[in-house]
Amino acid sequence: MTQKTISHELAKECIFTALMLLTEKQDYEKITITDIARRAGVSRMTYYRVYQDKDDIIKTHLIEAFDQMVMEINAQNNYTENDFSRCFFETVKKNEILFHNALKANMLEFVWRKVKEHTIALFRTFFRTNENSFLSNYRLCFFAGGFLHIAREWLETGMQEDVGTMVRLSCNITEKIRQVRNT
């Protein structure tokens, strides 16, 4: 890694951390780029070298979290629904503050699109289908949306259940739907 790359990554992390800390005390909408840069200890020029706007901070880190999740799942050659669910809920748990802030920033649509984008191939494997029909696409949207809304409810209720409980819940729901589909 070059010094320039290291500096960029350090600035990126400082800016991200600054936004996460600021959202604990202020409404997301009221936080300015100047507030973030000041808290991060960087100039506005450095800020704009790293991010386009404050939404970009959250979006960038959500994409990285989902990319990491997919890499972890793909590292398991024969992953199961249980593996996917565990990795998904562990990702949400590990990035709890980020996901809370995405909800505060009204980025539910963005999060949903990322969940869908990163899970379609995984769900196709679960349902053992390469089918690309409108029905298959709606089914995949249904499951991606279901995972998103279960995660959202879990976040909004304080994540009282552990990851294992959330995995069992989501796998039970998926199995019930599969049973109905097969009858």
Side-chain angles (χ1 to χ4, degrees):
M1 231 185 228
T2 67
Q3 184 62 33
K4 188 175 182 178
T5 304
I6 292 169
S7 296
H8 178 85
E9 288 302 312
L10 181 59
K12 180 180 169 185
E13 199 56 40
C14 288
I15 292 166
F16 170 71
T17 301
L19 178 59
M20 297 301 105
L21 292 171
L22 287 167
T23 56
E24 290 177 7
K25 297 177 181 165
Q26 288 179 258
D27 288 340
Y28 179 82
E29 299 82 28
K30 294 181 181 177
I31 298 170
T32 66
I33 301 304
T34 301
D35 295 334
I36 298 167
R38 187 177 297 128
R39 180 69 187 243
V42 300
S43 68
R44 285 175 57 90
M45 184 183 301
T46 298
Y47 176 93
Y48 284 111
R49 280 191 199 125
V50 179
Y51 295 107
Q52 296 173 1
D53 54 37
K54 71 180 174 184
D55 288 354
D56 191 35
I57 299 168
I58 293 175
K59 288 177 180 179
T60 298
H61 285 270
L62 285 169
I63 290 167
E64 289 173 1
F66 285 123
D67 285 349
Q68 180 64 37
M69 178 189 80
V70 170
M71 282 182 7
E72 289 173 18
I73 292 170
N74 285 335
Q76 304 170 32
N77 290 332
N78 294 316
Y79 56 85
T80 64
E81 290 173 44
N82 190 57
D83 296 330
F84 171 79
S85 295
R86 179 163 307 287
C87 200
F88 177 80
F89 288 108
E90 285 175 349
T91 298
V92 173
K93 181 72 172 170
K94 184 169 67 175
N95 295 283
E96 179 179 356
I97 295 170
L98 172 61
F99 280 92
H100 267 295
N101 288 330
L103 292 175
K104 286 181 187 177
N106 294 317
M107 290 187 191
L108 188 59
E109 179 67 20
F110 177 81
V111 174
W112 181 84
R113 291 208 178 279
K114 288 300 159 191
V115 169
K116 180 184 171 202
E117 178 183 306
H118 283 82
T119 59
I120 277 190
L122 301 171
F123 280 125
R124 285 192 194 285
T125 300
F126 296 156
F127 294 110
R128 290 155 183 75
T129 180
N130 287 323
E131 178 185 344
N132 199 16
S133 70
F134 78 95
L135 185 58
S136 174
N137 289 334
Y138 284 123
R139 186 180 302 126
L140 295 171
C141 288
F142 176 81
F143 281 100
F147 268 94
L148 171 66
H149 287 291
I150 288 171
R152 179 183 184 172
E153 183 67 20
W154 189 41
L155 279 163
E156 289 179 343
T157 58
M159 296 181 126
Q160 297 171 17
E161 299 81 9
D162 63 11
V163 169
T165 300
M166 298 309 295
V167 169
R168 285 187 298 281
L169 170 74
S170 62
C171 287
N172 286 341
I173 292 169
T174 303
E175 184 56 33
K176 296 273 189 226
I177 291 170
R178 185 179 289 120
Q179 287 171 1
V180 169
R181 193 182 106 217
N182 291 333
T183 58

